[in-house]
Amino acid sequence: MDAFPRDEYSPHGYLDNADHAWVLRPSGVLRSRPPLGFEWRIPKCERPEWIGGVHILPRRTGSEWPDASGSAAGAPIARVHSSQRFLLELRLDGITWQVEFVPITPDELAVRLTLQNRGSDETSVKFAIAAQLEIDGERLHRCSYRLTGAREGNALWLRPSAEGLGVRLSVEGGEPTGHSFAANHEQLRFGKPPFADSTCSSEDDLSIAGALWIDHTFDPNETWQLDAVLERGHWVSERSRIAAVRDSVGEARARALGDDEAFWSQAPRLTGDWPEHWRRGWVLDLETLRMSRRKPAGIFRTGWDAMQIQVPRFVFAETMLDMAAFALADPEAAIALVVGSLTDAARMGAQLPCIREDGSPNMVALDGTVCGTSPAWCWPFLALELIAVRRADPSWLRRLVPVLERYLDFWLRKRVHSDGDPFYVCSWESGQDSSPRFACEQPTGGEDVRDVCPVDLIVGIAQAASVLDRIVTRLGGDGRRWRSVATEMRQRLEAHWTTQGYRDRSRSNDLSIPVDDVTHLAPALLGDLSSAKKEVLRRKLQLRLAEQSPALEWASFFFQLCECGYELDLRHDIAEAIAFNADRLWTAWDRKDWNGVDPMPGVALEHWALAGPRGGEGYGWGATMPLHLVRGVMGFRDEGDAIVFQPTLPERLLASGKSYTLGPLTHRGGRWLLSVSVTEGDELHVTWTAIDDRAREDFARLDVDATSVERTGHTLGWRQTNGDRRVARLR
């Protein structure tokens, strides 16, 4: 069964290579290449060091091969856009072409081409299946390489003349009628005659491509398949390591289908009247998060979060934010990754330093101090609580408490002055590299900023201590020590209040630093503010929303902004901001066209820039919009045994007769479906349905503080005004 939500996705994107790590296993990423190809790319600074790929090149009657834009081959779409398999489809001259790419191993890629004649007449097709090899020019010329290629029956290989990584393409299901070689796959032309011999070499160019030509004549309504495997290695000119191409492709597809079934049978999706690009963008975000997880490597004995797929590293802050979003889809996998990776990273330092998979530090201040992210960057303890509510049994937290207590102890011992003021060693630790809030020259971001006592760090320590207090107490322990730390930090925060709001303070002159920063809204996260202070923070948050930059451009800031907005009762403002970001980001992810220069669509990006998203492709925190849609638009915010329902539909969704469904959502181990329908004006009808046995246990003793609650089967239903708050509790 195929549980993946098929749709008309962008034909661009990535497949998962969870084996790729930066130091010990730099095996690269699997990236699509227009119009119908996929390739391994081993990253190196601004450009790949090595590329090896496979391409399907259809030929239209009376025309040459398509160029990279795919214009000669029509416009493909992706029917399946999973991190485990990628199914492209196009229709050309009465033939439906489906090209499916599935990883077999980190060094083997399966390709299944399915052609279907939908007409009632006999027809013929001509196409090529091509392999391509590209090597970084500096390396090629330094080593005096030549790129060579050869055909061997139903296979061809491409490799450097000296020791180096090459590719081998083997096909089954069709007999090649010829072959050709060129500098790259864009230069291949069907009409080119075969070489007199079966070899080719390229001494001047940085790439080489080889194609096998295949013809097939279709009967009416016939379906025909070709299978291929692309392998890479140093041995490709010797023989294939694949015993049987068709068997290998079939087995790989079965594994991928099983993985997708396991994931998408429990992952939530958007159904109903959601905008189409939101529906697809939601899926692309969850798939980005899915492939940001790495296999065990080096010090990591279990899976770990790569932060981003190109240049993986462990970062405490991003791990927690990524997993808070990923837990919407697979809470058990998120919990296992958090417990395992934090436990392993803690062996490298109590501060949970930023590290590569071999344990080498990735963030070292100019004075040599090994750094990790603070309890204020991406609010990891808040993220932990968002993960924890997905499971009813809190026992898994017992393994994590010692790690988190040592972490917070580190900040209290190593990042607090003798008088109690906390500090960052450098701006890298704050997450805000070279920020002007630190009031000093910072050419790199690794410079000393110990003079500044930061508002957000005080809040971060207080929040972390409060969360630890709640967790330890829930597990039957004594949380008084952490309660005391939280109280002390809250009191210390008062010295940072000015008539303009909260400000960082310089220790050298005991004056507030006149730089207003988005992180100065953070005290709202602690609650219990006076009405006067709340009003100042409300106005400042609304100003940040109006300015848009940087608060709406970076996932870290946006997470804080939304959570502060809930505390400050700015639910409508936050819902509109979420809709604004969702619309522009998911429009970008969903693009079918691509110029080959801008960041690729089909995957979440690092920087949500207002001028157009950019930065690293396949970036974990860039895929966290689902978390905000759940909490800020559908208004589902779980708080232990209580569930807050505060659906706040933005104007673009608030249309009479429209209905929006999200689920399954996991709460206390049970799975539920949430639906919000617009009845008239801003009046809503909300339903909350238990869809598995664990949820039905809670359903029987769940009460909602709403009038006229309807109970039908395992569904609760009630009416409320858009933005109003209702709370459900277990009796």
Side-chain angles (χ1 to χ4, degrees), residues 271 634 647 659-662 673-677 685-689:
T271 56
M634 293 299 276
S659 182
Y660 308 97
T661 299
L662 171 62
L673 203 63
L674 176 61
S675 291
V676 177
S677 301
H685 184 256
V686 180
T687 61
W688 181 239
T689 303

Side-chain angles (χ1 to χ4, degrees), residues 449-502:
V449 297
R450 290 175 175 86
D451 179 62
V452 176
C453 182
V455 168
D456 59 325
L457 184 53
I458 297 173
V459 175
I461 293 173
Q463 184 188 73
S466 294
V467 171
L468 275 174
D469 172 25
R470 289 192 288 271
I471 290 174
V472 170
T473 301
R474 188 180 180 193
L475 293 173
D478 186 351
R480 283 178 296 178
R481 182 210 170 186
W482 299 117
R483 206 170 309 146
S484 175
V485 170
T487 299
E488 179 187 345
M489 286 296 162
R490 285 172 179 265
Q491 293 169 348
R492 188 168 294 278
L493 191 61
E494 293 306 304
H496 291 258
W497 178 256
T498 72
T499 54
Q500 290 81 38
Y502 289 97

Side-chain angles (χ1 to χ4, degrees), residues 14-65:
Y14 284 78
L15 284 165
D16 187 19
N17 179 16
D19 201 62
H20 173 54
W22 190 243
V23 178
L24 301 178
R25 292 197 306 246
S27 56
V29 296
L30 271 167
R31 188 178 192 249
S32 67
R33 184 158 181 168
L36 298 171
F38 252 90
E39 58 192 19
W40 288 292
R41 299 166 67 94
I42 298 179
K44 178 188 177 184
C45 300
E46 297 300 317
R47 58 160 293 150
E49 178 180 74
W50 183 95
I51 296 175
V54 59
H55 310 270
I56 301 295
L57 303 175
R59 183 199 184 207
R60 298 198 72 162
T61 303
S63 70
E64 294 183 324
W65 296 108

Side-chain angles (χ1 to χ4, degrees), residues 172-488:
E172 183 177 336
E175 288 297 323
T177 59
H179 73 279
S180 62
F181 292 95
N184 54 62
H185 82 274
E186 288 92 347
Q187 293 182 9
L188 292 170
R189 294 293 185 266
F190 183 81
K192 189 172 183 178
F195 289 89
D197 57 25
S198 296
T199 64
C200 175
S201 66
S202 172
E203 298 185 16
D204 300 322
D205 298 310
L206 306 181
S207 66
I208 186 172
L212 298 173
W213 314 343
I214 296 175
D215 301 352
H216 184 75
T217 299
F218 283 88
D219 292 330
N221 300 308
E222 179 189 351
T223 298
W224 177 80
Q225 283 185 341
L226 176 81
D227 287 333
V229 172
L230 184 72
E231 305 169 84
R232 64 174 174 175
H234 298 274
W235 42 264
V236 295
S237 60
E238 300 166 8
R239 62 180 179 82
S240 172
R241 295 190 176 183
I242 295 291
V245 169
R246 180 143 288 175
D247 289 347
S248 297
V249 172
E251 291 167 5
R253 291 187 71 252
R255 284 195 301 271
L257 279 163
D259 290 343
D260 280 349
E261 167 68 21
F263 182 77
W264 281 105
S265 62
Q266 66 173 357
R269 61 189 76 186
L270 306 182
T271 56
D273 295 315
W274 296 98
E276 290 184 1
H277 60 294
W278 288 32
R279 184 181 69 224
R280 291 188 288 266
W282 171 281
V283 172
L284 296 177
D285 274 352
L286 292 186
E287 288 293 346
T288 298
L289 291 166
R290 191 178 171 193
M291 68 180 170
S292 72
R293 299 169 301 143
R294 303 288 91 180
K295 290 180 179 177
I299 70 155
F300 293 106
R301 298 166 293 186
T302 62
W304 53 290
D305 180 72
M307 186 181 82
Q308 47 109 339
I309 65 173
Q310 311 285 342
V311 186
R313 63 171 176 152
F314 169 85
V315 180
F316 175 44
E318 275 90 335
T319 292
M320 299 307 295
L321 182 54
D322 291 355
M323 290 303 103
F326 187 69
L328 293 171
D330 193 341
E332 295 306 312
I335 287 170
L337 185 146
V338 167
V339 172
S341 63
L342 267 59
T343 301
D344 289 337
R347 294 185 288 124
M348 300 295 105
Q351 76 273 41
L352 299 175
C354 297
I355 52 176
R356 301 293 184 198
E357 76 280 2
D358 65 343
S360 58
N362 179 248
M363 191 162 73
V364 181
L366 294 187
D367 66 3
T369 302
V370 175
C371 302
T373 53
S374 84
W377 187 237
C378 299
W379 306 100
F381 284 80
L382 170 58
L384 176 64
E385 288 202 304
L386 298 184
I387 298 168
V389 295
R390 306 286 169 224
R391 185 195 277 186
D393 177 11
S395 60
W396 64 276
L397 290 164
R398 293 186 188 279
R399 287 184 57 197
L400 209 51
V401 165
V403 173
L404 297 177
E405 288 187 323
R406 286 195 296 270
Y407 169 82
L408 195 51
D409 267 331
F410 172 90
W411 281 87
L412 293 171
R413 290 183 296 103
K414 301 291 188 178
R415 299 295 188 268
V416 171
H417 292 290
S418 58
D419 62 0
D421 277 350
F423 62 86
Y424 296 120
V425 166
C426 61
S427 61
W428 288 337
E429 273 194 331
S430 75
Q432 294 179 267
D433 305 355
S434 302
S435 170
R437 64 182 291 212
F438 296 106
C440 66
E441 292 295 323
Q442 302 170 78
T444 69
E447 290 77 15
D448 191 333
V449 297
R450 290 175 175 86
D451 179 62
V452 176
C453 182
V455 168
D456 59 325
L457 184 53
I458 297 173
V459 175
I461 293 173
Q463 184 188 73
S466 294
V467 171
L468 275 174
D469 172 25
R470 289 192 288 271
I471 290 174
V472 170
T473 301
R474 188 180 180 193
L475 293 173
D478 186 351
R480 283 178 296 178
R481 182 210 170 186
W482 299 117
R483 206 170 309 146
S484 175
V485 170
T487 299
E488 179 187 345

